[in-house]
Amino acid sequence: MQPASPAIVAQPVTDRPAIEDALAVGIRDYQLTLVRAPLGGAALCAALGGLVYLLGITPVAWVAALGGAALLLVLQVVLAIWLVPQNRAAKQLMTAQSWRQVHAEVLGLDGRHFVVEAEGRRLRIQEMGGRVAHLVLRRTGRLWLVGPDDAGLVLARIEGPGTPLFGKMTTETGTPVPPEPEQADGTAAADPVSVAWAGVLARAIKYRIWPDVAAFVLVALVMLGFLLVQGLSTGSVVASVLVLAIAAPMSLRRHLKARRRFRPWTSLPELLHAGPWQPVGITLAPAQLGPLGGNAQGVIRLASGADLPIQLPEASLDLIGNIQAMGGLWVAGDPVPGKVFAVGYPGYPILGLATFNPGMTQL
């Protein structure tokens, strides 16, 4: 069951160049870091390969390390070819133009894109994960655009999320949009956008939990190749055991730390069944945020007038930006001290986890 009044969320600024919209710029800067990320791994692999080569160890080890560096460099080149020109064109558009609000109608879906009619044009716009952007647009009918440029590139935003969605002009209409499923259990899970976005966030957690295990497997494979070439001599076995004895606890410790840190996000879809969305006022303390957001804390004010301290672990830039802009938030169910619960904005792909500080008394 949706709330009687849809949640009010932040809208793009329209009185200045789009590049000055802090939320959109934060998301765009994160996209640029994806291009640079493989460089660190490539440098590490190259340094490892060079060290192994200088120590005179079997070619299998240093060739594998240098091969890993080469693969990461290829990935970096591919990302650069794909993302850099697109982001450069996006920056030029966002610097030259302001976001403008337009009426838009969703015509259909096209792969991981949706097709809209806006300003007399048909635009093919990339989806957000879980195909939620078109659901928001179907309800609101509002879209913010910059462009198109000479190449037909257009940037679009739905209200709430800061992510600029890349699009192109098209003549197609796409496939018909399927009807939304009926969900009427009276909880926050009756909101199809929240349900879809919770599933996206829960599935994405594996990319933050398992990298250290994958790195250890890579090290183990390198050492296996080393043993196959060197043979089961005392020196090669001792060297392999020593390397694995050092790598195993380091990888396990980092994996367990990531698991404790991010595991609660896998329960986000279930937390939406805790109860209906409830609006609360909220004030956040200043926080140091990274490209993905960060930990935040503040105070929520319930309808009864009670103030309660709240913590938002790993809060996204979208969640924090909307809280700062609107001063309000929605809670799924009744807040209970010591319990993890879902927070966000019903009808929009903006969700997070929250807990009360220890030692609080239950309402």
Side-chain angles (χ1 to χ4, degrees):
M1 182 175 64
Q2 293 260 22
S5 299
I8 299 176
V9 293
Q11 299 182 356
V13 296
T14 58
D15 60 347
R16 69 201 76 166
I19 197 70
E20 296 182 21
D21 190 313
L23 188 56
V25 170
I27 300 293
R28 183 182 58 80
D29 288 346
Y30 166 64
Q31 291 176 336
L32 289 176
T33 64
L34 296 178
V35 180
R36 308 185 186 102
L39 286 177
L44 180 62
C45 286
L48 178 61
L51 177 62
V52 172
Y53 173 77
L54 292 175
L55 292 175
I57 301 178
T58 175
V60 172
W62 61 264
V63 167
L66 292 180
L71 289 175
L72 287 170
L73 286 174
V74 169
L75 174 61
Q76 199 274 335
V77 170
V78 170
L79 287 174
I81 293 174
W82 176 40
L83 288 179
V84 169
Q86 180 175 259
N87 278 282
R88 183 182 296 116
K91 183 177 181 180
Q92 291 173 348
L93 272 178
M94 294 173 69
T95 301
Q97 301 182 22
S98 301
W99 293 110
R100 65 184 185 277
Q101 182 180 326
V102 302
H103 173 75
E105 179 183 356
V106 177
L107 301 180
L109 304 178
D110 185 6
R112 300 299 298 175
H113 298 74
F114 60 97
V115 180
V116 302
E117 184 86 30
E119 298 183 318
R121 305 184 182 96
R122 287 182 181 176
L123 304 174
R124 182 176 182 265
I125 301 172
Q126 73 181 80
E127 260 290 7
M128 298 181 68
R131 287 190 171 184
V132 296
H134 81 275
L135 294 178
V136 177
L137 182 57
R138 285 181 71 187
R139 188 184 74 250
T140 65
R142 293 187 296 271
L143 192 66
W144 281 260
L145 299 175
V146 294
D149 62 9
D150 295 338
L153 173 68
V154 64
L155 296 178
R157 280 182 64 185
I158 57 174
E159 56 191 66
T163 307
L165 306 175
F166 290 84
K168 287 276 190 180
M169 289 186 291
T170 184
T171 58
E172 304 296 327
T173 59
T175 59
V177 179
E180 296 180 12
E182 291 292 334
Q183 302 184 45
D185 64 353
T187 70
D191 171 20
V193 175
S194 294
V195 170
W197 195 242
V200 170
L201 296 178
R203 290 190 297 270
I205 287 303
K206 61 178 178 290
Y207 298 110
R208 307 183 76 173
I209 291 179
W210 294 103
D212 292 296
V213 174
F216 175 75
V217 171
L218 179 61
V219 172
L221 290 175
V222 171
M223 298 315 300
L224 177 61
F226 171 69
L227 288 175
L228 290 176
V229 173
Q230 293 291 101
L232 297 178
S233 64
T234 301
S236 60
V237 170
V238 170
S240 299
V241 171
L242 181 61
V243 170
L244 294 178
I246 295 174
M250 292 177 58
S251 299
L252 180 61
R253 183 169 61 251
R254 291 175 61 89
H255 169 69
L256 293 177
K257 181 179 179 180
R259 190 178 181 88
R260 289 192 299 269
R261 180 179 177 184
F262 298 113
R263 188 70 176 178
W265 286 86
T266 61
S267 63
L268 185 56
E270 288 75 26
L271 293 176
L272 293 176
H273 292 276
W277 284 117
Q278 301 186 56
V280 297
I282 182 170
T283 302
L284 288 183
Q288 294 291 328
L289 304 179
L292 292 176
N295 298 323
Q297 58 184 0
V299 176
I300 63 171
R301 171 159 291 183
L302 303 181
S304 64
D307 290 342
L308 299 174
I310 192 173
Q311 294 179 335
L312 302 169
E314 310 299 331
S316 68
L317 292 177
D318 282 337
L319 180 63
I320 294 175
N322 276 274
I323 290 174
Q324 292 173 336
M326 309 311 301
L329 184 65
W330 295 72
V331 181
D334 295 321
V336 176
K339 174 184 175 183
V340 178
F341 56 97
V343 296
Y345 294 83
Y348 298 92
I350 307 171
L351 288 173
L353 298 177
T355 60
F356 290 124
N357 289 327
M360 295 171 48
T361 58
Q362 186 169 347
L363 293 177

